[in-house]
Amino acid sequence: MWHSIQAKLGLVFLVFLALIAGSVASTSRALERQTTDTLTIGAAVEQRELVHSVSRHVFRVQTGRQSAEYYLELSELNEAAGQFETILETMLSGGAVPVGGRGGTVQIPAVADSAMRAQLQLVREHWLPIATAVEVLLTNASVLEHSRAITEIQTKTTYLSRELDTLVEMLESHSRRNLALLKSIQAAFFLSALALLGGSYRMVGHF
């Protein structure tokens, strides 16, 4: 009888260890996903801020080429546009995105969800005419071309900001679902462990 109890308790112990290992592994993967979600959301929020920067610099460029700050604003406009394109392509393909404004970067994977990738493609479609207009401003364009480029950017950035708001909302919703899944997994492992302990107690009491 004693050997029978030992065998059953040994089996219970092994199952309990398996539950712990499964819980740790699942929690670790879920936390990795949460970290990735946080970085991706941060990248999308940064894009939104860069669009605001583009709008602000274009407004200042609009004052004309005689302004003392004209070429400085053009330089900063070009930098903001370049950063936007870098982040957009990284979210689609994966890689390093700048953080902190001091040359630091973080690695993020490509966005995998099909709906969010479709939204990113929509963001890209709205961005392309803005990028073209920025290039016009950076060249020695005529007054008419200059004016048209500014109007194009001012118009398109409004729509682009809306699409970026939608993208951020989609990413945040996805992150909340992952967090809810993590809590469900932890609860399932906890309840399984309780059931195992309860079964072990009844088994020992039976003997």
Side-chain angles (χ1 to χ4, degrees), residues 14-143:
L14 289 175
V15 173
F16 189 72
L17 286 180
L19 283 173
I20 293 175
S23 176
V24 170
S26 298
T27 301
S28 177
R29 286 194 296 270
L31 289 176
E32 288 176 4
R33 285 196 297 268
Q34 279 299 114
T35 300
T36 298
D37 289 345
T38 300
L39 293 174
T40 305
I41 292 170
V45 170
E46 178 66 15
Q47 280 187 305
R48 194 165 55 185
E49 293 302 316
L50 287 168
V51 170
H52 294 160
S53 294
V54 167
S55 297
R56 184 172 62 252
H57 293 312
V58 167
F59 176 79
R60 292 172 181 169
V61 165
Q62 192 177 16
T63 58
R65 293 170 177 160
Q66 303 305 317
S67 170
E69 297 181 350
Y70 177 80
Y71 292 102
L72 174 61
E73 293 297 336
L74 275 184
S75 176
E76 292 181 351
L77 171 62
N78 186 38
E79 182 180 354
Q83 289 178 355
F84 183 94
E85 289 185 359
T86 297
I87 294 174
L88 177 58
E89 294 306 317
T90 302
M91 292 182 73
L92 285 166
S93 305
V97 293
V99 293
R102 296 183 178 181
T105 60
V106 293
Q107 293 287 330
I108 63 171
V111 172
D113 181 83
S114 58
M116 289 188 289
R117 287 189 67 84
Q119 184 64 25
L120 279 168
Q121 292 293 352
L122 190 57
V123 167
R124 175 190 265 170
E125 289 176 13
H126 283 283
W127 169 252
L128 287 177
I130 296 173
T132 301
V134 169
E135 289 297 323
V136 171
L137 294 179
L138 294 173
T139 62
N140 190 23
S142 67
V143 173

